[in-house]
Amino acid sequence: MSDGDADGTPKRNFVVPEKLIKSAADMERWEKSEAYYDVLGFISSMAVALQGTRNSQIVSVHPVVEQLSNVLDRLEQLAIETPPIDQPARFGNAAFKNWFQKMQSETLQLLTDALPDTLKDAAKELQVYLVESFGNATRIDYGTGHELAFVMFLMCLFKIGAIERSDEVAVGLKLFQKYIILARKLQVTYRMEPAGSHGVWSLDDFQFIPFIWGSAQLAVNSPIEPAQFVEDKTIDKYKKELMFVGCIDYIRQVKTGHFAEHSNQLWSISAVPQWSKISTGLIKMYQKEVLSKFPVIQHVYFGSILTLQPVKPGTTLPNPRLGMVMRQHTASPAAPMPPKFDTGDEM
């Protein structure tokens, strides 16, 4: 699926996306939609691509990825310029609302500048996903629904051909990792609350995806066994190199007490013998505990890129093969094309 232009295929008409899941009864429509299969396909495809990688490794960075990295730098600078205010309430610093307003007012132009000339009209559609990625300005909270919005933002970039499938590693290591770092800074700076019932749909009160992609990193040539990720010496050594360990380090910084008590699910994961099984297990858990929950999906936006159109009959959900190096990035296509995620059928 591509927008096409010179070859005569119809050009996509970008729109401002809207929320379409209005009640729990709409969840069946969501779970049979192209968008649902696209999301799981994208998460799985990225997991396969990130196997054996390290956060600091040198990768070829697409100009659009570089520009979007600069966008995140700008949003971080806005946070520096918007310090928390003194207030009686311990949590939910009201300065976040000021940061959010600044971020919202700048992102359309920032995205327009970052996109290639042929795709600048997509900025209005992409902006909604990016703005939704940093939390709720009214409740001053953040949860897996906001993280999902950023995953959808990234997936939209691939689907419209702004970046190519050969850019997956750079997107994961440079763009997504920078987003996670920014999200953590916002959570700490503005004392944001976990969305939902105390982060019930996340693994560390706020995030889920970096645990999936972080464990996939370790599915090939891992320097540590799963049982070691809770050890201080392991965390100190690998927190900057490995996404999963970086997540554990963040938990160590913001929580006190025994790890098994405040992060029981992650503690249980440490007993699983293989990283590949951890990653695929977390994808299934994400499907059940995040993508199947109406309180999360009611906030998802749909437009011309991510649609609620029913998926083609016979399409199967992805089953990523982790634990082996896939040679899928050895050659780039002659012309920019959206990725064909492993959903069992074309998107």
Side-chain angles (χ1 to χ4, degrees):
M1 179 168 52
S2 64
D3 292 331
D5 40 333
D7 61 1
T9 53
K11 184 178 180 180
R12 186 195 305 271
N13 292 316
F14 295 106
V15 300
V16 176
E18 57 184 341
K19 297 177 182 179
L20 297 177
I21 303 300
K22 304 296 186 180
S23 69
D26 293 328
M27 289 297 289
E28 183 177 0
R29 184 183 175 198
W30 153 247
E31 291 174 4
K32 293 180 179 179
S33 71
E34 288 182 350
Y36 179 82
Y37 279 67
D38 285 351
V39 168
L40 280 170
F42 177 65
I43 291 171
S44 298
S45 183
M46 286 287 290
V48 172
L50 289 169
Q51 292 182 102
T53 61
R54 300 292 181 265
N55 295 349
S56 65
Q57 73 182 53
I58 304 298
V59 293
S60 176
V61 179
H62 191 288
V64 171
V65 175
E66 188 69 44
Q67 290 291 323
L68 291 172
S69 179
N70 294 337
V71 170
L72 295 180
D73 287 338
R74 173 58 185 160
L75 300 186
E76 181 181 4
Q77 180 60 35
L78 289 177
I80 294 172
E81 297 170 3
T82 315
I85 62 174
D86 292 329
Q87 63 178 43
R90 181 182 175 192
F91 293 99
N93 194 280
F96 176 74
K97 297 180 180 182
N98 298 329
W99 175 87
F100 192 94
Q101 192 173 39
K102 295 176 184 178
M103 176 272 294
Q104 193 171 29
S105 67
E106 289 197 22
T107 44
L108 181 60
Q109 188 60 53
L110 288 170
L111 288 176
T112 301
D113 293 343
L115 291 168
D117 290 342
T118 56
L119 291 171
K120 290 192 181 299
D121 194 41
K124 63 186 177 186
E125 189 158 344
L126 294 171
Q127 184 204 18
V128 173
Y129 296 102
L130 183 61
V131 167
E132 191 74 7
S133 299
F134 299 103
N136 182 279
T138 303
R139 299 187 301 271
I140 314 181
D141 65 9
Y142 176 100
T144 47
H146 303 108
E147 179 189 75
L148 174 60
F150 192 76
V151 169
M152 289 180 158
F153 170 73
L154 296 177
M155 186 171 67
C156 286
L157 292 167
F158 282 105
K159 284 179 68 66
I160 65 176
I163 49 181
E164 304 170 33
R165 188 165 184 177
S166 56
D167 299 308
E168 284 179 323
V169 172
V171 167
L173 299 185
K174 306 306 176 186
L175 206 52
F176 181 75
Q177 181 69 5
K178 179 170 283 193
Y179 161 75
I180 290 296
I181 292 171
L182 174 57
R184 288 171 182 159
K185 288 180 178 178
L186 295 173
Q187 293 157 18
V188 171
T189 299
Y190 301 116
R191 302 301 303 271
M192 300 178 74
E193 295 264 33
S197 180
H198 299 289
V200 67
W201 294 303
S202 60
L203 289 173
D204 69 350
D205 286 351
F206 296 107
Q207 314 295 158
F208 204 120
I209 295 296
F211 291 95
I212 295 176
W213 291 346
S215 53
Q217 265 189 313
L218 296 165
V220 171
N221 299 327
S222 174
I224 61 171
E225 298 297 324
Q228 294 177 289
F229 76 72
V230 294
E231 299 174 358
D232 285 340
K233 61 180 181 181
T234 299
I235 298 171
D236 291 336
K237 184 175 182 179
Y238 294 109
K239 61 186 178 182
K240 293 183 179 179
E241 279 296 297
L242 301 171
M243 195 181 297
F244 192 99
V245 179
C247 292
I248 304 302
D249 180 55
Y250 180 62
I251 293 173
R252 187 175 64 166
Q253 293 177 43
V254 299
K255 293 193 175 184
T256 58
H258 195 277
F259 193 89
E261 295 175 358
H262 60 61
S263 302
N264 183 259
Q265 284 183 315
L266 289 169
W267 179 260
S268 301
I269 286 172
S270 69
V272 178
Q274 294 177 319
W275 285 108
S276 58
K277 292 185 180 298
I278 290 175
S279 188
T280 53
L282 287 176
I283 291 174
K284 292 176 182 177
M285 182 179 172
Y286 187 79
Q287 183 181 352
K288 178 181 178 182
E289 300 297 336
V290 178
L291 297 183
S292 297
K293 300 296 185 183
F294 171 70
V296 176
I297 304 305
Q298 66 177 329
H299 300 296
V300 169
Y301 287 85
F302 302 90
S304 73
I305 308 171
L306 298 180
T307 78
L308 274 179
Q309 290 295 316
V311 74
K312 294 179 181 178
T315 303
T316 58
L317 287 169
N319 184 23
R321 299 177 63 189
L322 299 175
M324 61 191 76
V325 178
M326 304 294 286
R327 300 184 180 277
Q328 60 185 24
H329 299 302
T330 54
S332 298
M337 291 289 288
K340 295 180 179 178
F341 302 125
D342 299 324
T343 57
D345 200 343
E346 291 188 2
M347 293 178 60

